[in-house]
Amino acid sequence: MISKIKERMLHILTLRSLRARIFVLMLVIGIVPSVLMRHGIVNNYEERAVEQRTTAVQNQLMIIANHLISNNYITNYRSQEQTFINSREVINAELDMLSSLYEGRVMIIDSNLKIVKDTYGISEGKIMISEEVIKCFRGDNTSHYDPEHGYIEMTTPIMDTTSTTSGDGNSDANAVRGVMLTSISTDSIVTTMEILYRNSIILEVLMILAIVVLAMILSNILIKPFNRVTEAFMNVKAGYSDEKISVPDYVETVHIVDAFNQVLKRMKVLDDSRQEFVANVSHELKTPMTSIKVLADSLLMQENAPAELYREFMEDIVSEIDRENQIITDLLALVKMDKKVQDLNIVALNINDLTELILKRLRPIARKKDVEVVFESVRPVVAEVDEVKMTLIMTNLVENAIKYNKEHGWVKVVLDADHQYFMFSVSDSGLGIPEESIAHIYERFYRVDKSHSREIGGTGLGLAITKSAVLMHRGSITVTSTEGEGTSFLVKIPLTYMGNKS
Ligand code: ADP
């Protein structure tokens, strides 16, 4: 249990679990935009607020600057004339109002860089040399935001828009008579920003929590069909049933389940064929046993049976034992075929010699049936094959051609090759195979005519063995047959062994 949890944790940490990946993905997709949005909103607010405040103050300053010009504030700032004193007081009040409204400080600097008015009242009469002020005298408005110290500093030119004569005698319009150097506090912006920031953080934390919960729920929901697939597989583990599994939630699960259903179908076919094989084997092995028992019983039942009868029955018993033996030998050969391809003992072999040898061995049987065996070698063939299996292939085919032949028939073996394969065909003038049986002749224990086949010693395993041996060499076997006329098997095997390339 603990190791299972550990394994799951490891899968989650290394993102090997699909659920973990979906979870992380949703988290990233949900959280990153919300963080970016928060930053964007707060920064944007700051920019806009500073901009708005600057323009608002600049506008007011321009109005005041016009008042300053129309009242000759700069040139007459020391004048004791009552009218000047009055207008000066009005303007000073305007300036004080502006600076208190924006928590700022306004300084008016004349063309000699002398501070003629400071709303703080501490720098009047002093000289102000600053880059911004000098720039402003050239007609440039400047504004500078210092977020660290929390203020905006700006300069506003005091322009004489009326046509006047300057001190040096030149008449110039729009002359800069002085500069207003203003700094206003951005404390209120900062405070609003802090509130905004705090609220957005709270909102963000809530959003993250909601996203985490949502991601957990969704990743669980999304993964569910896969769990159902596993569950369905587990249920099948107990035993194959005919019932197909179906998890139609996703195209992917449908693909997985389809593939599994196909494997299941194949397993079922294999299972069925195994059961059928076991049943067939038992049946085939039982038949000679039953015969032996019947023969022995009938001998036992007859008291004083003549010696000739004993002999006759014993001969039958021996032939049944031979048959049993033959079936077992074939079964063993078949089982060996089912083993791995690695068991092949591949050597370069002269196929012509091998064929001659096999035919030499089989000719006595053929002679007994008065069947002529002819060998035609188109060219000498040397190929990489397993000698034992190759012998089995050839022997089975030629033996069948002799067994299922007519009296005075013939068997023709032709050996040929191209640059890649060697081919040998075994044709006969025999009984032929009915069309409907051709598809079944390679099946284990299949015999076209059971009683006839048994009579001539067939087990129904020969062609099954032959086909497996051919396939092990990555070759092919085909058959053409006409009932009553004869059969021809063609085997094609690569000259060079291609190994296990599956
Ligand atoms: P068996 O041991 O019975 O010969 P095989 O697997 O070798 O089994 O062959 C299967 C069946 O195919 C045989 O029972 C026979 O009916 C048919 N068969 C095989 N070879 C030939 C052939 N050359 N001519 C006619 N029938 C054949």
Side-chain angles (χ1 to χ4, degrees):
M1 184 71 185
I2 292 174
S3 71
K4 230 177 178 182
I5 294 171
K6 254 188 189 171
E7 199 182 323
R8 271 187 81 164
M9 285 306 291
L10 196 76
H11 283 173
I12 288 172
L13 289 177
T14 52
L15 287 191
R16 276 193 58 206
S17 133
L18 183 60
R19 182 187 288 139
R21 282 190 191 191
I22 294 174
F23 178 74
V24 170
L25 203 74
M26 291 181 73
L27 226 56
V28 171
I29 291 174
I31 290 172
V32 170
S34 81
V35 172
L36 291 180
M37 225 162 74
R38 177 171 55 82
H39 270 279
I41 288 172
V42 173
N43 286 347
N44 194 281
Y45 167 77
E46 187 179 18
E47 237 170 68
R48 295 259 311 137
V50 167
E51 208 178 282
Q52 262 180 6
R53 182 149 305 190
T54 311
T55 2
V57 174
Q58 285 276 25
N59 283 343
Q60 300 219 21
L61 285 172
M62 301 267 254
I63 295 167
I64 294 175
N66 283 340
H67 287 178
L68 292 176
I69 286 297
S70 55
N71 291 305
N72 282 332
Y73 184 94
I74 298 173
T75 40
N76 298 315
Y77 77 98
R78 280 213 175 124
S79 168
Q80 291 305 313
E81 239 178 81
Q82 195 53 47
T83 40
F84 285 125
I85 293 171
N86 287 349
S87 65
R88 204 159 54 222
E89 267 170 10
V90 172
I91 291 170
N92 281 349
E94 273 176 24
L95 287 170
D96 286 341
M97 209 166 77
L98 181 81
S99 43
S100 73
L101 191 66
Y102 292 105
E103 294 169 71
R105 175 184 189 182
V106 185
M107 285 188 273
I108 298 170
I109 299 152
D110 71 4
S111 51
N112 300 320
L113 301 180
K114 195 170 168 193
I115 300 169
V116 295
K117 169 75 187 163
D118 174 6
T119 52
Y120 276 16
I122 46 177
S123 301
E124 276 164 19
K126 289 184 184 161
I127 297 291
M128 165 63 75
I129 300 172
S130 107
E131 203 187 323
E132 274 78 25
V133 172
I134 291 163
K135 256 194 205 163
C136 192
F137 269 110
R138 286 195 216 117
D140 296 338
N141 268 27
T142 62
S143 89
H144 162 73
Y145 171 48
D146 184 344
E148 210 174 303
H149 299 102
Y151 68 86
I152 307 169
E153 194 180 71
M154 61 190 102
T155 55
T156 321
I158 303 166
M159 304 267 242
D160 191 350
T161 45
T162 54
S163 183
T164 49
T165 309
S166 64
D168 52 12
N170 290 333
S171 169
D172 57 347
N174 292 349
V176 181
R177 298 283 175 241
V179 165
M180 292 170 93
L181 177 64
T182 318
S183 54
I184 50 167
S185 157
T186 53
D187 281 356
S188 64
I189 295 178
V190 171
T191 320
T192 317
M193 251 170 65
E194 270 169 11
I195 295 168
L196 201 68
Y197 193 80
R198 200 172 334 118
N199 287 350
S200 65
I201 284 273
I202 293 170
L203 203 73
E204 199 179 298
V205 170
L206 288 177
M207 252 172 87
I208 289 173
L209 282 177
I211 288 166
V212 168
V213 173
L214 204 74
M216 262 158 77
I217 295 171
L218 272 178
S219 63
N220 266 331
I221 291 175
L222 289 175
I223 222 72
K224 253 194 186 128
F226 290 99
N227 291 342
R228 270 206 289 280
V229 171
T230 318
E231 219 170 272
F233 286 5
M234 294 303 258
N235 288 343
V236 169
K237 221 170 94 181
Y240 332 117
S241 65
D242 283 338
E243 235 175 272
K244 274 190 169 182
I245 302 173
S246 160
V247 185
D249 306 57
Y250 299 138
V251 179
E252 287 78 4
T253 54
V254 170
H255 285 170
I256 295 172
V257 167
D258 274 355
F260 186 75
N261 277 335
Q262 276 176 28
V263 172
L264 214 63
K265 206 166 130 192
R266 171 108 188 95
M267 275 161 81
K268 184 144 175 37
V269 169
L270 285 178
D271 197 44
D272 287 351
S273 89
R274 189 180 55 87
Q275 276 181 13
E276 195 189 309
F277 180 63
V278 172
N280 285 342
V281 168
S282 321
H283 177 76
E284 294 297 325
L285 290 177
K286 231 181 138 198
T287 319
M289 292 294 242
T290 318
S291 305
I292 293 168
K293 184 159 167 48
V294 169
L295 289 166
D297 274 351
S298 52
L299 273 183
L300 281 176
M301 269 171 25
Q302 284 189 38
E303 276 176 37
N304 307 323
E308 300 87 65
L309 196 71
Y310 261 100
R311 187 166 187 82
E312 198 193 319
F313 274 35
M314 276 322 235
E315 272 171 6
D316 287 348
I317 288 177
V318 167
S319 90
E320 287 299 330
I321 291 174
D322 281 346
R323 189 170 157 63
E324 184 96 30
N325 208 8
Q326 183 60 48
I327 296 173
I328 293 171
T329 313
D330 278 0
L331 275 174
L332 285 177
L334 200 64
V335 170
K336 265 193 200 157
M337 290 294 165
D338 285 346
K339 282 194 181 164
K340 295 276 163 279
V341 179
Q342 278 87 338
D343 292 345
L344 282 180
N345 179 20
I346 302 292
V347 284
L349 208 70
N350 185 320
I351 306 293
N352 299 64
D353 290 353
L354 185 74
T355 318
E356 298 271 15
L357 191 77
I358 289 164
L359 295 186
K360 201 175 143 195
R361 266 193 231 143
L362 293 174
R363 273 204 179 95
I365 310 171
R367 252 198 302 277
K368 258 195 224 166
K369 279 201 75 176
D370 196 16
V371 171
E372 190 192 359
V373 180
V374 206
F375 175 40
E376 186 189 323
S377 165
V378 181
R379 66 192 81 240
V381 177
V382 174
E384 289 176 6
V385 290
D386 178 305
E387 189 174 355
V388 177
K389 305 233 159 44
M390 203 61 226
T391 309
L392 259 178
I393 296 170
M394 287 185 164
T395 311
N396 276 339
L397 291 179
V398 179
E399 218 172 29
N400 276 352
I402 298 168
K403 274 194 313 194
Y404 300 104
N405 220 315
K406 296 173 191 152
E407 291 262 324
H408 319 299
W410 53 261
V411 174
K412 189 174 178 190
V413 179
V414 181
L415 180 64
D416 194 1
D418 58 20
H419 63 288
Q420 227 181 336
Y421 295 92
F422 75 91
M423 290 76 80
F424 75 88
S425 64
V426 181
S427 316
D428 62 58
S429 60
L431 312 170
I433 305 167
E435 214 182 315
E436 65 275 12
S437 298
I438 286 189
H440 303 287
I441 53 171
Y442 301 109
E443 288 170 12
R444 295 154 173 185
F445 296 115
Y446 182 82
R447 281 157 292 192
V448 175
D449 179 348
K450 271 203 184 239
S451 58
H452 176 67
S453 172
R454 186 168 296 138
E455 224 171 79
I456 52 179
T459 58
L461 293 171
L463 285 180
I465 297 171
T466 307
K467 188 164 185 183
S468 331
V470 170
L471 293 182
M472 278 175 109
H473 285 87
R474 313 229 152 243
S476 65
I477 179 165
T478 46
V479 61
T480 46
S481 182
T482 315
E483 215 179 341
E485 279 181 28
T487 309
S488 179
F489 281 93
L490 175 70
V491 173
K492 212 171 151 186
I493 287 176
L495 289 168
T496 322
Y497 178 66
M498 290 193 276
N500 188 7
K501 284 183 185 161
S502 58

